[in-house]
Amino acid sequence: MGKKYLVEYDRDGCIGAAACVAVQPDQWTMVDDGKADLKDSKKEGKNWFKEIDESELEKYKDAAESCPVTVIKIFEKDTKKRII
Ligand code: SF4
């Protein structure tokens, strides 16, 4: 089994640049309030979280890198080590 990762999304900090949507349109969508939603994520405290598999990591990394305000972060699930 591959590793698991956690995507953490600070939706409040999103400025609606839509770069994430352009890079990974199957997971990010722009909604009426001008911010992006992350598909199947759950809110915990202030941020939104989603567990992903290793096979999905590259695309999420691309989305995180594309975000101009770096509100998308990715961690290794086990070690909590930040990947991006
Ligand atoms: S790229 Fe960043 S700022 Fe732009 S919509 Fe996505 S999360 Fe929001």
Side-chain angles (χ1 to χ4, degrees):
M1 243 182 56
K3 274 193 196 173
K4 298 279 189 186
Y5 296 86
L6 215 52
V7 179
E8 179 177 355
Y9 172 39
D10 170 12
R11 193 177 186 279
D12 291 345
C14 171
I15 59 166
C20 55
V21 181
V23 167
Q24 198 184 20
D26 59 330
Q27 298 301 320
W28 302 89
T29 42
M30 296 308 299
V31 293
D32 286 350
D33 66 356
K35 294 177 186 279
D37 271 354
L38 171 58
K39 192 178 171 188
D40 300 326
S41 60
K42 286 199 196 97
K43 196 170 187 203
E44 269 174 49
K46 176 176 159 297
N47 292 341
W48 293 77
F49 293 87
K50 178 175 182 175
E51 189 176 304
I52 61 166
D53 294 327
E54 195 162 18
S55 61
E56 304 171 282
L57 180 62
E58 280 310 311
K59 267 292 175 192
Y60 279 96
K61 270 167 85 174
D62 289 347
E65 271 167 14
S66 77
C67 177
V69 287
T70 59
V71 292
I72 306 167
K73 295 175 186 167
I74 305 174
F75 299 86
E76 279 183 8
K77 194 188 173 205
D78 292 342
T79 64
K80 308 279 188 271
K81 188 179 148 219
R82 190 170 165 192
I83 303 293
I84 186 167

Coordinates of all heavy atoms in Angstrom, one line a residue:
M1 N 0.8 -1.2 0.0 CA 0.0 0.0 0.0 C 0.9 1.2 0.0 O 1.8 1.3 0.7 CB -0.9 0.0 1.2 CG -2.4 0.0 0.8 SD -3.5 0.0 2.2 CE -3.0 1.5 3.1
G2 N 0.5 2.2 -0.8 CA 1.2 3.5 -0.9 C 1.0 4.3 0.4 O 0.1 4.0 1.2
K3 N 1.8 5.4 0.4 CA 1.6 6.3 1.6 C 0.3 7.1 1.4 O -0.2 7.3 0.3 CB 2.8 7.3 1.5 CG 4.0 6.8 2.2 CD 4.9 8.0 2.4 CE 6.3 7.6 2.8 NZ 7.2 8.7 2.8
K4 N -0.1 7.6 2.6 CA -1.2 8.6 2.6 C -0.7 10.0 2.9 O 0.2 10.2 3.6 CB -2.2 8.1 3.7 CG -2.8 6.8 3.5 CD -3.9 6.8 2.5 CE -4.7 5.5 2.5 NZ -5.7 5.4 1.4
Y5 N -1.4 10.9 2.3 CA -1.1 12.3 2.5 C -2.4 13.1 2.9 O -3.5 12.6 2.6 CB -0.5 12.9 1.2 CG 0.8 12.2 0.9 CD1 0.8 11.1 0.1 CD2 2.0 12.8 1.3 CE1 2.0 10.4 -0.2 CE2 3.2 12.2 1.0 CZ 3.2 11.0 0.2 OH 4.4 10.4 -0.1
L6 N -2.1 14.2 3.5 CA -3.2 15.1 3.9 C -3.1 16.4 3.2 O -2.0 17.1 3.3 CB -3.1 15.2 5.5 CG -4.4 15.3 6.2 CD1 -5.4 14.2 5.9 CD2 -4.1 15.4 7.7
V7 N -4.1 16.8 2.5 CA -4.2 18.1 1.9 C -4.9 19.0 2.9 O -6.0 18.7 3.4 CB -5.0 18.1 0.6 CG1 -5.0 19.5 0.0 CG2 -4.3 17.1 -0.4
E8 N -4.3 20.2 3.2 CA -4.9 21.2 4.1 C -5.1 22.5 3.3 O -4.2 23.0 2.7 CB -4.0 21.4 5.3 CG -4.5 22.5 6.3 CD -3.6 22.7 7.5 OE1 -2.6 22.0 7.6 OE2 -4.0 23.7 8.2
Y9 N -6.3 22.9 3.4 CA -6.7 24.0 2.5 C -7.3 25.2 3.4 O -8.3 25.0 4.1 CB -7.7 23.6 1.5 CG -8.4 24.7 0.7 CD1 -7.7 25.8 0.2 CD2 -9.7 24.6 0.4 CE1 -8.3 26.8 -0.5 CE2 -10.4 25.6 -0.4 CZ -9.6 26.7 -0.8 OH -10.2 27.6 -1.6
D10 N -6.6 26.3 3.4 CA -7.1 27.4 4.2 C -8.0 28.3 3.3 O -7.6 29.2 2.6 CB -5.9 28.3 4.6 CG -6.3 29.6 5.2 OD1 -7.5 29.8 5.5 OD2 -5.4 30.5 5.4
R11 N -9.3 27.9 3.3 CA -10.2 28.5 2.3 C -10.4 30.0 2.5 O -10.6 30.7 1.6 CB -11.5 27.7 2.4 CG -12.5 28.1 1.2 CD -13.8 27.3 1.3 NE -14.6 27.5 0.1 CZ -15.4 28.5 0.0 NH1 -15.4 29.5 0.9 NH2 -16.1 28.7 -1.2
D12 N -10.3 30.4 3.8 CA -10.5 31.8 4.1 C -9.4 32.7 3.4 O -9.6 33.8 3.0 CB -10.3 32.1 5.6 CG -11.5 31.6 6.4 OD1 -12.5 31.2 5.8 OD2 -11.4 31.4 7.6
G13 N -8.2 32.1 3.2 CA -7.1 32.8 2.5 C -7.2 32.8 1.0 O -6.4 33.5 0.4
C14 N -8.1 32.0 0.5 CA -8.2 31.9 -1.0 C -8.6 33.3 -1.6 O -9.5 33.9 -1.1 CB -9.2 30.8 -1.4 SG -9.7 30.8 -3.1
I15 N -7.9 33.7 -2.6 CA -8.2 35.0 -3.3 C -9.0 34.7 -4.6 O -9.2 35.7 -5.4 CB -7.0 35.8 -3.5 CG1 -5.9 35.1 -4.4 CG2 -6.4 36.3 -2.2 CD1 -4.8 36.0 -4.9
G16 N -9.3 33.5 -4.9 CA -10.1 33.2 -6.1 C -9.3 33.3 -7.4 O -9.9 33.6 -8.5
A17 N -8.0 33.0 -7.3 CA -7.2 33.1 -8.5 C -7.5 32.0 -9.5 O -7.1 32.1 -10.7 CB -5.7 33.1 -8.1
A18 N -8.1 30.9 -9.1 CA -8.5 29.8 -9.9 C -7.4 29.0 -10.5 O -7.6 28.2 -11.4 CB -9.5 30.3 -11.0
A19 N -6.2 29.3 -10.1 CA -5.0 28.5 -10.6 C -5.2 27.0 -10.3 O -4.9 26.1 -11.2 CB -3.7 29.0 -10.1
C20 N -5.6 26.7 -9.1 CA -5.8 25.3 -8.7 C -6.9 24.6 -9.6 O -6.7 23.5 -10.0 CB -6.3 25.2 -7.3 SG -7.8 26.2 -6.9
V21 N -7.9 25.3 -10.0 CA -8.9 24.8 -10.9 C -8.4 24.5 -12.3 O -8.7 23.5 -12.9 CB -10.1 25.8 -11.0 CG1 -11.2 25.2 -11.9 CG2 -10.7 26.1 -9.6
A22 N -7.5 25.4 -12.7 CA -6.9 25.2 -14.1 C -6.0 24.0 -14.1 O -6.0 23.3 -15.0 CB -6.1 26.5 -14.4
V23 N -5.3 23.8 -13.0 CA -4.3 22.7 -12.9 C -5.0 21.3 -12.6 O -4.6 20.3 -13.1 CB -3.3 23.0 -11.8 CG1 -2.4 21.8 -11.4 CG2 -2.4 24.2 -12.2
Q24 N -6.0 21.4 -11.8 CA -6.6 20.1 -11.3 C -8.1 20.3 -11.2 O -8.8 20.2 -10.2 CB -6.1 19.8 -9.9 CG -6.3 18.3 -9.5 CD -5.8 18.1 -8.1 OE1 -5.6 19.0 -7.3 NE2 -5.6 16.8 -7.7
P25 N -8.8 20.4 -12.4 CA -10.2 20.7 -12.5 C -11.1 19.7 -11.9 O -12.3 20.0 -11.6 CB -10.5 21.0 -14.0 CG -9.3 20.3 -14.7 CD -8.2 20.3 -13.7
D26 N -10.6 18.4 -11.8 CA -11.5 17.4 -11.2 C -11.6 17.5 -9.7 O -12.5 16.8 -9.1 CB -11.0 16.0 -11.7 CG -9.6 15.7 -11.2 OD1 -8.8 16.7 -11.1 OD2 -9.3 14.6 -11.0
Q27 N -10.8 18.3 -9.1 CA -10.8 18.3 -7.6 C -11.2 19.7 -7.1 O -11.6 19.9 -5.9 CB -9.5 17.9 -7.0 CG -9.1 16.5 -7.4 CD -10.1 15.5 -6.8 OE1 -10.6 15.6 -5.7 NE2 -10.4 14.5 -7.6
W28 N -10.9 20.8 -7.8 CA -11.2 22.1 -7.4 C -12.2 22.8 -8.3 O -12.1 22.7 -9.5 CB -9.9 22.9 -7.4 CG -8.7 22.4 -6.6 CD1 -7.8 21.4 -7.0 CD2 -8.4 22.6 -5.2 NE1 -7.0 21.1 -6.0 CE2 -7.3 21.9 -4.9 CE3 -9.0 23.5 -4.3 CZ2 -6.8 21.9 -3.6 CZ3 -8.5 23.5 -3.0 CH2 -7.3 22.7 -2.7
T29 N -13.1 23.5 -7.6 CA -14.1 24.2 -8.4 C -14.3 25.6 -7.8 O -14.3 25.8 -6.6 CB -15.5 23.5 -8.4 OG1 -15.8 23.1 -7.1 CG2 -15.6 22.4 -9.4
M30 N -14.6 26.6 -8.7 CA -14.9 27.9 -8.2 C -16.4 28.0 -7.8 O -17.2 27.4 -8.5 CB -14.6 29.0 -9.2 CG -13.1 29.1 -9.6 SD -12.0 29.3 -8.2 CE -12.6 30.9 -7.6
V31 N -16.7 28.6 -6.7 CA -18.1 28.7 -6.3 C -18.5 30.2 -6.1 O -17.7 31.1 -6.3 CB -18.4 27.9 -5.0 CG1 -18.3 26.4 -5.3 CG2 -17.5 28.3 -3.9
D32 N -19.8 30.3 -5.8 CA -20.4 31.7 -5.9 C -19.7 32.8 -5.0 O -19.8 33.9 -5.4 CB -21.9 31.6 -5.5 CG -22.7 30.9 -6.6 OD1 -22.2 30.8 -7.7 OD2 -23.9 30.6 -6.3
D33 N -19.1 32.4 -3.9 CA -18.5 33.4 -3.1 C -17.1 33.8 -3.6 O -16.3 34.5 -3.0 CB -18.4 33.0 -1.6 CG -17.5 31.7 -1.4 OD1 -17.0 31.2 -2.4 OD2 -17.3 31.4 -0.2
G34 N -16.7 33.3 -4.8 CA -15.5 33.7 -5.4 C -14.2 32.9 -4.9 O -13.1 33.3 -5.2
K35 N -14.5 31.9 -4.1 CA -13.4 31.0 -3.6 C -13.5 29.6 -4.2 O -14.6 29.2 -4.7 CB -13.4 31.0 -2.1 CG -13.1 32.3 -1.4 CD -13.2 32.2 0.1 CE -13.1 33.6 0.7 NZ -11.7 34.0 0.9
A36 N -12.4 28.9 -4.1 CA -12.4 27.5 -4.6 C -12.9 26.5 -3.5 O -12.6 26.8 -2.3 CB -11.0 27.1 -5.0
D37 N -13.6 25.5 -3.9 CA -13.9 24.4 -3.0 C -13.1 23.2 -3.4 O -12.8 22.9 -4.6 CB -15.4 24.0 -3.2 CG -16.3 24.8 -2.3 OD1 -15.8 25.5 -1.4 OD2 -17.6 24.6 -2.4
L38 N -12.7 22.4 -2.4 CA -11.9 21.2 -2.6 C -12.9 20.0 -2.5 O -13.5 19.9 -1.4 CB -10.8 21.1 -1.6 CG -10.0 19.7 -1.6 CD1 -9.5 19.4 -3.0 CD2 -8.9 19.8 -0.5
K39 N -13.0 19.3 -3.5 CA -14.0 18.2 -3.5 C -13.7 17.2 -2.4 O -12.6 16.8 -2.1 CB -13.8 17.4 -4.9 CG -14.9 16.4 -5.2 CD -14.6 15.8 -6.6 CE -15.5 14.7 -6.8 NZ -15.1 13.9 -8.1
D40 N -14.8 16.7 -1.7 CA -14.7 15.7 -0.7 C -13.9 16.1 0.5 O -13.4 15.2 1.2 CB -14.3 14.4 -1.3 CG -15.2 13.9 -2.3 OD1 -16.4 14.1 -2.2 OD2 -14.7 13.2 -3.3
S41 N -13.6 17.4 0.7 CA -12.8 17.7 1.9 C -13.8 18.0 3.1 O -15.0 18.2 2.9 CB -12.0 19.0 1.6 OG -12.8 20.1 1.3
K42 N -13.2 17.9 4.3 CA -13.9 18.1 5.5 C -13.4 19.3 6.3 O -12.1 19.4 6.4 CB -13.9 16.9 6.4 CG -14.7 15.7 5.9 CD -15.0 14.7 7.0 CE -15.5 13.4 6.4 NZ -14.4 12.4 6.2
K43 N -14.2 20.1 6.9 CA -13.8 21.2 7.7 C -13.5 20.8 9.1 O -14.2 20.1 9.7 CB -14.8 22.3 7.7 CG -14.3 23.6 8.1 CD -15.2 24.8 7.9 CE -14.5 26.1 8.2 NZ -15.4 27.1 8.6
E44 N -12.3 21.2 9.5 CA -11.9 21.0 10.9 C -11.3 22.3 11.4 O -10.2 22.7 10.9 CB -10.8 19.9 11.0 CG -11.4 18.5 11.2 CD -10.3 17.4 11.1 OE1 -9.3 17.6 11.8 OE2 -10.5 16.5 10.4
G45 N -12.0 22.9 12.4 CA -11.5 24.2 12.8 C -11.7 25.2 11.6 O -12.7 25.2 11.0
K46 N -10.6 25.9 11.3 CA -10.7 26.9 10.3 C -10.4 26.4 8.9 O -10.8 27.0 7.9 CB -9.6 27.9 10.7 CG -9.3 29.1 9.8 CD -8.3 30.0 10.4 CE -7.6 30.9 9.4 NZ -6.8 30.2 8.4
N47 N -9.7 25.2 8.8 CA -9.3 24.8 7.5 C -10.0 23.5 7.0 O -10.7 22.9 7.8 CB -7.8 24.5 7.5 CG -7.0 25.7 7.7 OD1 -7.4 26.8 7.4 ND2 -5.7 25.6 8.1
W48 N -9.8 23.2 5.8 CA -10.4 22.0 5.1 C -9.4 21.0 4.9 O -8.3 21.3 4.5 CB -11.1 22.5 3.8 CG -12.3 23.4 4.0 CD1 -12.2 24.7 4.3 CD2 -13.7 23.0 4.0 NE1 -13.5 25.2 4.5 CE2 -14.4 24.2 4.3 CE3 -14.4 21.8 3.7 CZ2 -15.8 24.2 4.3 CZ3 -15.7 21.8 3.8 CH2 -16.4 23.0 4.1
F49 N -9.8 19.7 5.1 CA -8.8 18.6 5.0 C -9.3 17.5 4.1 O -10.5 17.2 4.0 CB -8.5 18.0 6.4 CG -7.8 19.0 7.3 CD1 -8.5 19.9 8.1 CD2 -6.4 19.0 7.4 CE1 -7.8 20.8 8.9 CE2 -5.7 19.9 8.2 CZ -6.4 20.8 9.0
K50 N -8.3 16.9 3.5 CA -8.7 15.7 2.6 C -7.5 14.7 2.6 O -6.4 15.2 2.4 CB -9.0 16.2 1.2 CG -9.4 15.1 0.3 CD -9.8 15.6 -1.1 CE -10.2 14.5 -2.0 NZ -10.7 15.0 -3.3
E51 N -7.8 13.5 2.8 CA -6.8 12.4 2.8 C -6.7 12.0 1.3 O -7.7 11.7 0.7 CB -7.2 11.3 3.7 CG -6.0 10.3 3.9 CD -6.4 9.2 4.9 OE1 -6.8 9.5 6.0 OE2 -6.4 8.0 4.5
I52 N -5.4 11.8 0.8 CA -5.2 11.4 -0.5 C -4.2 10.3 -0.6 O -3.4 10.1 0.4 CB -4.8 12.5 -1.5 CG1 -3.5 13.1 -1.0 CG2 -5.9 13.6 -1.6 CD1 -2.8 14.0 -2.0
D53 N -4.2 9.5 -1.6 CA -3.2 8.5 -1.8 C -2.0 9.0 -2.6 O -2.0 10.0 -3.2 CB -3.8 7.3 -2.7 CG -4.9 6.6 -2.0 OD1 -4.9 6.5 -0.8 OD2 -5.8 6.2 -2.7
E54 N -0.9 8.2 -2.5 CA 0.3 8.6 -3.1 C 0.1 8.8 -4.6 O 0.7 9.7 -5.2 CB 1.4 7.4 -2.9 CG 2.8 7.8 -3.2 CD 3.8 6.9 -2.6 OE1 3.4 5.8 -2.2 OE2 4.9 7.3 -2.5
S55 N -0.7 8.0 -5.2 CA -1.0 8.1 -6.7 C -1.6 9.4 -7.1 O -1.5 9.8 -8.2 CB -1.9 7.0 -7.1 OG -3.2 7.1 -6.4
E56 N -2.2 10.1 -6.1 CA -2.8 11.4 -6.4 C -1.9 12.6 -6.1 O -2.3 13.7 -6.4 CB -4.1 11.6 -5.6 CG -5.1 10.5 -5.7 CD -6.2 10.6 -4.7 OE1 -6.0 10.2 -3.5 OE2 -7.3 11.1 -5.0
L57 N -0.8 12.3 -5.4 CA 0.0 13.4 -4.9 C 0.5 14.4 -5.9 O 0.4 15.6 -5.6 CB 1.2 12.7 -4.1 CG 2.2 13.7 -3.5 CD1 1.5 14.5 -2.4 CD2 3.4 12.9 -2.9
E58 N 1.0 13.9 -7.0 CA 1.6 14.8 -8.0 C 0.7 15.9 -8.4 O 1.0 17.1 -8.5 CB 2.2 14.1 -9.2 CG 3.5 13.4 -8.9 CD 4.6 14.4 -8.3 OE1 4.7 15.5 -8.9 OE2 5.2 14.0 -7.3
K59 N -0.6 15.5 -8.7 CA -1.6 16.5 -9.2 C -1.9 17.6 -8.1 O -2.0 18.8 -8.3 CB -2.8 15.8 -9.6 CG -2.8 15.5 -11.1 CD -2.9 16.8 -11.9 CE -2.8 16.6 -13.4 NZ -2.6 17.9 -14.1
Y60 N -2.0 17.1 -6.9 CA -2.3 18.0 -5.7 C -1.1 18.9 -5.5 O -1.2 20.1 -5.2 CB -2.6 17.3 -4.5 CG -4.0 16.8 -4.4 CD1 -4.4 15.6 -4.8 CD2 -5.0 17.7 -4.0 CE1 -5.7 15.2 -4.8 CE2 -6.4 17.3 -4.0 CZ -6.7 16.0 -4.4 OH -8.0 15.6 -4.4
K61 N 0.1 18.4 -5.7 CA 1.3 19.2 -5.6 C 1.3 20.3 -6.6 O 1.7 21.5 -6.3 CB 2.6 18.4 -5.7 CG 3.1 17.8 -4.4 CD 4.1 16.8 -4.6 CE 5.5 17.3 -4.7 NZ 6.5 16.2 -4.8
D62 N 0.9 19.9 -7.8 CA 0.9 20.9 -8.9 C -0.1 22.0 -8.5 O 0.1 23.2 -8.8 CB 0.4 20.3 -10.2 CG 1.5 19.4 -10.8 OD1 2.6 19.5 -10.4 OD2 1.2 18.6 -11.7
A63 N -1.3 21.6 -8.0 CA -2.3 22.6 -7.6 C -1.7 23.5 -6.5 O -1.9 24.8 -6.5 CB -3.6 21.9 -7.2
A64 N -1.1 22.9 -5.5 CA -0.6 23.7 -4.4 C 0.5 24.7 -4.9 O 0.5 25.8 -4.4 CB 0.0 22.7 -3.3
E65 N 1.3 24.2 -5.8 CA 2.4 25.1 -6.3 C 1.8 26.2 -7.1 O 2.4 27.3 -7.2 CB 3.3 24.3 -7.2 CG 4.5 23.6 -6.4 CD 5.2 22.6 -7.3 OE1 5.0 22.5 -8.5 OE2 6.0 21.8 -6.6
S66 N 0.7 26.0 -7.8 CA 0.1 27.0 -8.6 C -0.6 28.1 -7.8 O -0.7 29.2 -8.3 CB -0.9 26.4 -9.6 OG -2.1 26.1 -8.9
C67 N -0.9 27.9 -6.6 CA -1.7 28.8 -5.8 C -0.8 30.0 -5.4 O 0.2 29.9 -4.7 CB -2.2 28.2 -4.6 SG -3.1 29.3 -3.5
P68 N -1.2 31.2 -5.8 CA -0.3 32.4 -5.6 C -0.3 32.8 -4.1 O 0.6 33.6 -3.7 CB -1.0 33.5 -6.4 CG -2.4 33.1 -6.6 CD -2.4 31.6 -6.6
V69 N -1.2 32.4 -3.3 CA -1.2 32.8 -1.9 C -0.9 31.6 -1.0 O -1.1 31.6 0.2 CB -2.5 33.5 -1.5 CG1 -2.6 34.9 -2.1 CG2 -3.7 32.7 -1.9
T70 N -0.5 30.5 -1.6 CA -0.1 29.3 -0.8 C -1.0 28.9 0.3 O -0.6 28.6 1.4 CB 1.4 29.4 -0.3 OG1 1.5 30.5 0.6 CG2 2.4 29.5 -1.4
V71 N -2.3 28.8 0.0 CA -3.2 28.3 1.0 C -3.5 26.8 0.9 O -4.3 26.3 1.7 CB -4.6 29.1 0.9 CG1 -4.3 30.6 1.3 CG2 -5.2 29.0 -0.5
I72 N -2.8 26.1 0.0 CA -2.9 24.7 -0.1 C -1.6 24.1 0.4 O -0.5 24.4 -0.1 CB -3.2 24.3 -1.6 CG1 -4.4 25.0 -2.2 CG2 -3.3 22.7 -1.6 CD1 -4.5 24.8 -3.7
K73 N -1.7 23.3 1.4 CA -0.5 22.6 2.0 C -0.7 21.1 1.9 O -1.8 20.6 2.0 CB -0.2 23.0 3.4 CG 0.1 24.5 3.5 CD 0.2 24.9 5.0 CE 0.4 26.4 5.1 NZ 0.2 26.9 6.5
I74 N 0.4 20.4 1.9 CA 0.3 18.9 1.8 C 1.3 18.3 2.9 O 2.4 18.7 2.9 CB 0.6 18.3 0.4 CG1 -0.3 19.0 -0.6 CG2 0.4 16.8 0.4 CD1 0.0 18.6 -2.0
F75 N 0.8 17.4 3.6 CA 1.6 16.7 4.7 C 1.6 15.2 4.5 O 0.6 14.7 4.0 CB 1.0 17.0 6.1 CG 1.0 18.5 6.4 CD1 -0.1 19.3 6.0 CD2 2.0 19.0 7.1 CE1 -0.1 20.6 6.3 CE2 2.0 20.4 7.5 CZ 0.9 21.2 7.0
E76 N 2.7 14.6 4.9 CA 2.6 13.1 5.0 C 1.7 12.8 6.2 O 1.8 13.4 7.2 CB 4.0 12.6 5.3 CG 4.9 12.4 4.1 CD 6.3 11.8 4.5 OE1 6.4 11.4 5.7 OE2 7.1 11.8 3.6
K77 N 0.8 11.8 6.0 CA -0.2 11.6 7.0 C 0.5 11.0 8.3 O 0.2 11.5 9.4 CB -1.2 10.6 6.5 CG -2.4 10.5 7.5 CD -3.4 9.4 7.1 CE -4.4 9.3 8.2 NZ -5.0 8.0 8.2
D78 N 1.4 10.1 8.2 CA 2.0 9.4 9.3 C 3.0 10.3 10.1 O 2.9 10.4 11.3 CB 2.8 8.2 8.9 CG 1.8 7.1 8.4 OD1 0.6 7.2 8.7 OD2 2.3 6.2 7.7
T79 N 3.8 11.0 9.4 CA 4.9 11.8 10.0 C 4.5 13.3 10.2 O 5.2 14.0 10.9 CB 6.2 11.8 9.2 OG1 5.9 12.5 7.9 CG2 6.6 10.4 8.9
K80 N 3.4 13.7 9.6 CA 3.0 15.1 9.6 C 4.0 16.0 9.0 O 4.0 17.2 9.2 CB 2.7 15.6 11.1 CG 1.8 14.7 11.9 CD 0.3 14.9 11.5 CE -0.6 14.2 12.4 NZ -1.0 12.9 11.9
K81 N 4.9 15.4 8.3 CA 6.0 16.2 7.6 C 5.3 17.0 6.4 O 4.6 16.4 5.6 CB 7.1 15.3 7.1 CG 8.3 16.0 6.6 CD 9.3 15.0 6.1 CE 10.1 15.6 4.9 NZ 10.4 14.6 3.9
R82 N 5.7 18.2 6.3 CA 5.1 19.0 5.2 C 5.9 18.8 3.9 O 7.1 18.8 3.9 CB 5.2 20.5 5.6 CG 4.4 21.4 4.6 CD 4.2 22.8 5.1 NE 3.8 23.6 3.9 CZ 3.8 24.9 4.0 NH1 4.2 25.6 5.0 NH2 3.4 25.6 2.9
I83 N 5.1 18.5 2.9 CA 5.6 18.2 1.6 C 5.7 19.5 0.8 O 6.7 19.8 0.1 CB 4.7 17.2 0.8 CG1 4.6 15.9 1.6 CG2 5.3 17.0 -0.6 CD1 5.8 15.1 1.7
I84 N 4.7 20.3 0.9 CA 4.6 21.6 0.2 C 3.7 22.5 0.9 O 2.7 22.1 1.6 CB 4.2 21.4 -1.3 CG1 4.3 22.7 -2.0 CG2 2.8 20.8 -1.4 CD1 4.2 22.6 -3.5
Ligands
SF4_1 S1 -5.2 28.8 -6.6 FE1 -5.3 29.4 -4.4 S2 -6.2 31.4 -4.4 FE2 -6.6 30.6 -6.4 S3 -8.6 29.6 -6.2 FE3 -7.1 28.0 -5.8 S4 -6.9 28.1 -3.6 FE4 -7.8 30.0 -4.2

